[in-house]
Amino acid sequence: MKTRKEDVDWEKEYKIAEGKLWEQKAHTYSRLATGYVKNGKVLDIGSGEGYDCFYFAQKGYDALGIDISKTVIKKMLDRAGKYSLKLKGLAKDITKSKIGGKYNIIVSYGVFQFLGSNFLEFIDDLKNKTLPGGINSFYIFGNKGDFYKLAKHRFYFPSEKTLKELYSDWKIVKFSKKNTKLLIRGDKGEVLHNLMFKLLARKIG
Ligand SMILES: C[S@@+](CC[C@H](N)C(=O)[O-])C[C@H]1O[C@@H](n2cnc3c(N)ncnc32)[C@H](O)[C@@H]1O
């Protein structure tokens, strides 16, 4: 695994990954989302190995995972096939092309920093792509900590105020923040931490 100063080549990371790179279960906020929207279409942006997609598909939602890595999308779909689980996957770079469709639930965990200066516009678009009563559930790195210091010149790290303002016309059902330990270490092998916001917001109407 590379250090935070270098660009991560996700395709390569997933090709060489022996086991699993991320948590092997759905995120807590995905579980919470199902309490507000009982069925319908789910989009997971930067779905990685697809544990959130599996969770939603197992519960009968129509789930789509998108990720920049073709390899990880194939891995996710192969694994879904093994369990006869219906879900969709699409290899796509969210910094280069827009997302199509409308969704009842949109989730994304640990990905939006890569949007850089497109962050605000992208979130606005996702809000429009969420159906009335629908949920946005995101874990987003914030503007404090090691990751922010190392990458603020090229990635985007919102403040709590910016994030809450973006959702001021929705109901913020749950919001929390935490100084999170990063999975990737610094150049000298040091443990890195960064502020992480967890947001669960519901579109009113
Ligand atoms: C930190 S991982 C998180 C994976 C998954 N969301 C999770 O929490 O287990 C970031 C993911 O974002 C994907 N990614 C990075 N840049 C991307 C881009 N420009 N477009 C789409 N996906 C991207 C990576 O391939 C990777 O799977």
Side-chain angles (χ1 to χ4, degrees), residues 2 14 24 30 37 67 74 77 80 86 88 104 114 120-122 130 135 146 153 198:
K2 294 196 174 194
Y14 285 122
Q24 292 174 46
S30 285
V37 180
D67 200 283
K74 186 175 178 308
L77 294 177
K86 269 198 200 159
K88 295 180 207 118
N104 301 91
F114 302 122
L120 298 176
E121 197 190 318
F122 190 86
T130 309
I135 287 282
D146 299 316
H153 57 289
K198 298 184 178 185

Side-chain angles (χ1 to χ4, degrees), residues 10 14 22 27 46-48 67-68 92-95 109-111 114:
W10 291 102
Y14 285 122
W22 314 110
H27 291 81
S47 45
D67 200 283
I68 197 169
K92 191 182 180 78
D93 180 346
I94 56 165
T95 65
Y109 303 112
V111 179
F114 302 122

Side-chain angles (χ1 to χ4, degrees), residues 4 10-11 14 22-23 25 27 44-52 66-69 72 92-96 108-111 113-115 141 183:
R4 277 297 179 198
W10 291 102
E11 189 56 15
Y14 285 122
W22 314 110
E23 279 271 6
K25 57 181 185 187
H27 291 81
D44 182 358
I45 301 170
S47 45
E49 286 142 349
Y51 292 98
D52 293 272
I66 67 174
D67 200 283
I68 197 169
S69 164
V72 86
K92 191 182 180 78
D93 180 346
I94 56 165
T95 65
K96 299 216 168 110
S108 185
Y109 303 112
V111 179
Q113 66 278 5
F114 302 122
L115 290 165
F141 287 110
L183 289 170

Side-chain angles (χ1 to χ4, degrees), residues 50-109:
Y51 292 98
D52 293 272
C53 285
F54 289 128
Y55 171 74
F56 285 113
Q58 273 162 349
K59 288 192 156 292
Y61 294 82
D62 177 7
L64 164 67
I66 67 174
D67 200 283
I68 197 169
S69 164
K70 281 187 192 146
T71 300
V72 86
I73 289 291
K74 186 175 178 308
K75 274 188 187 178
M76 175 181 85
L77 294 177
D78 286 352
R79 193 163 153 261
K82 259 193 215 162
Y83 295 99
S84 306
L85 202 57
K86 269 198 200 159
L87 57 84
K88 295 180 207 118
L90 186 65
K92 191 182 180 78
D93 180 346
I94 56 165
T95 65
K96 299 216 168 110
S97 55
K98 285 210 162 185
I99 285 165
K102 296 262 182 187
Y103 303 89
N104 301 91
I105 299 177
I106 302 180
V107 306
S108 185
Y109 303 112

